[in-house]
Amino acid sequence: MLAQEAGLSPTYFQRVFRRITGLSPRQYGEACRAQRLRAALRSAATVTDAIYAAGYNSSSRFYEKADSLLGMKPGALRGGAPAERLRFAIGQCSLGAILVASGERGIVAILMGDDPEILARDLQDRFPNAELVGADPDYEDHVAQVVSLVETPAVGLGLPLDIRGTAFQQRVWNALRAISAGQTATYTEIARAIGHPESVRAVANACGANALAVAIPCHRVVRRDGTLSGYRWGVARKKALLEREKDA
């Protein structure tokens, strides 16, 4: 129907849609429906009411995908209650301030910048309904391990990650994690690796949406000519990370 409305053949419409968004129309629709569900869960009387209000035809099919869609149990979002409890701490590394936050399943955010207060606000914006818990001495070890990853990326990170995003974003991020320290890839190569060679722009957008700096190494993606493109946490940090990986 969308192709007909646009005056295009279904095949061509699918190709254009995927090139622009990185998703098929069906995948895009599922992402929009998940967004509607998040909103409905905060006000609906029951989880079941929210499921059907968001457009799901079967609650059983929804529950099969609930954890990956929401990153948490659906009941945690209902009624405006805090979605989850996140522990976090802010430290310092050679590249500036660094914030690490974790939920029950692992690290949900690694943010870098110059101003710790801006990093804290960024975390609040990303998880507006979460209960943020700081000043936890037991959590300092997590920050230390992440700082070690920043200083020596080749050592890896021995902590679990709670990676949240659309199906397309997760495919991109998995491809990024396959790039070894000291190596780089172009946006075009990543697009080909995930089977969407026409979605270079969408790959770049997914890199920009990454909230797990260094752990998901979007800094290893460069332009076709090898020059450095934009980096969410600053091109200077991207250059420094690549140089220390190259010298390792």
Side-chain angles (χ1 to χ4, degrees), residues 38-88:
R38 284 179 172 273
L41 280 169
R42 295 189 177 100
S43 58
T46 67
V47 172
T48 300
D49 288 345
I51 290 171
Y52 287 109
Y56 289 93
N57 296 321
S58 167
S59 58
S60 60
R61 293 190 64 184
F62 160 74
Y63 277 107
E64 291 174 2
K65 301 179 179 180
D67 210 36
S68 61
L69 282 172
L70 302 175
M72 65 200 73
K73 299 300 181 184
L77 280 173
R78 187 168 63 85
E84 59 189 322
R85 186 174 186 269
L86 298 180
R87 294 192 297 164
F88 79 99

Side-chain angles (χ1 to χ4, degrees), residues 82-126:
E84 59 189 322
R85 186 174 186 269
L86 298 180
R87 294 192 297 164
F88 79 99
I90 300 175
Q92 290 288 324
C93 65
S94 61
L95 299 181
I98 186 166
L99 181 150
V100 183
S102 298
E104 292 184 0
R105 297 189 301 174
I107 297 175
V108 297
I110 299 173
L111 313 176
M112 295 191 294
D114 299 317
D115 188 334
E117 290 187 7
I118 292 177
L119 296 183
R121 287 199 297 269
D122 188 1
L123 182 67
Q124 290 176 326
D125 290 342
R126 290 174 181 274

Side-chain angles (χ1 to χ4, degrees), residues 6 21 51 57 72 79 89 102 115 149-150 160 168 178 194 197 199 205 228 236 244:
T21 67
I51 290 171
N57 296 321
M72 65 200 73
S102 298
D115 188 334
L149 175 69
V150 172
F168 181 82
I194 64 172
S199 300
N205 290 337
L228 303 186
R244 65 185 55 177

Side-chain angles (χ1 to χ4, degrees), residues 11-246:
T11 301
Y12 183 67
F13 177 80
Q14 286 262 1
R15 188 161 62 246
V16 172
F17 193 95
R18 190 181 292 274
R19 183 172 66 245
I20 295 173
T21 67
L23 301 170
S24 69
R26 180 177 181 180
Q27 290 171 328
Y28 185 83
E30 290 177 349
C32 291
R33 187 165 53 179
Q35 187 175 12
R36 290 198 303 270
L37 176 66
R38 284 179 172 273
L41 280 169
R42 295 189 177 100
S43 58
T46 67
V47 172
T48 300
D49 288 345
I51 290 171
Y52 287 109
Y56 289 93
N57 296 321
S58 167
S59 58
S60 60
R61 293 190 64 184
F62 160 74
Y63 277 107
E64 291 174 2
K65 301 179 179 180
D67 210 36
S68 61
L69 282 172
L70 302 175
M72 65 200 73
K73 299 300 181 184
L77 280 173
R78 187 168 63 85
E84 59 189 322
R85 186 174 186 269
L86 298 180
R87 294 192 297 164
F88 79 99
I90 300 175
Q92 290 288 324
C93 65
S94 61
L95 299 181
I98 186 166
L99 181 150
V100 183
S102 298
E104 292 184 0
R105 297 189 301 174
I107 297 175
V108 297
I110 299 173
L111 313 176
M112 295 191 294
D114 299 317
D115 188 334
E117 290 187 7
I118 292 177
L119 296 183
R121 287 199 297 269
D122 188 1
L123 182 67
Q124 290 176 326
D125 290 342
R126 290 174 181 274
F127 302 95
N129 295 307
E131 176 190 0
L132 302 180
V133 181
D136 183 348
D138 294 335
Y139 194 68
E140 298 299 329
D141 180 61
H142 281 62
V143 180
Q145 290 189 56
V146 174
V147 169
S148 178
L149 175 69
V150 172
E151 305 300 347
T152 315
V155 303
L157 182 65
L159 297 171
L161 301 178
D162 183 355
I163 302 174
R164 305 179 184 185
T166 67
F168 181 82
Q169 287 173 334
Q170 296 215 27
R171 292 180 69 179
V172 172
W173 298 338
N174 285 335
L176 298 182
R177 297 180 74 190
I179 306 172
S180 301
Q183 303 296 316
T184 59
T186 66
Y187 294 101
T188 300
E189 288 171 338
I190 295 296
R192 289 173 180 165
I194 64 172
H196 296 287
E198 74 285 0
S199 300
V200 176
R201 182 181 299 178
V203 166
N205 290 337
C207 290
N210 173 31
L212 289 160
V214 190
I216 295 180
C218 54
H219 63 277
R220 295 176 189 159
V221 185
V222 298
R223 292 194 180 103
R224 187 175 300 180
D225 61 3
T227 59
L228 303 186
S229 57
Y231 184 53
R232 185 179 188 88
W233 295 282
V235 174
R237 289 187 177 90
K238 182 172 187 172
K239 181 180 180 181
L241 286 167
L242 290 174
E243 287 178 346
R244 65 185 55 177
E245 290 182 5
K246 184 177 180 181

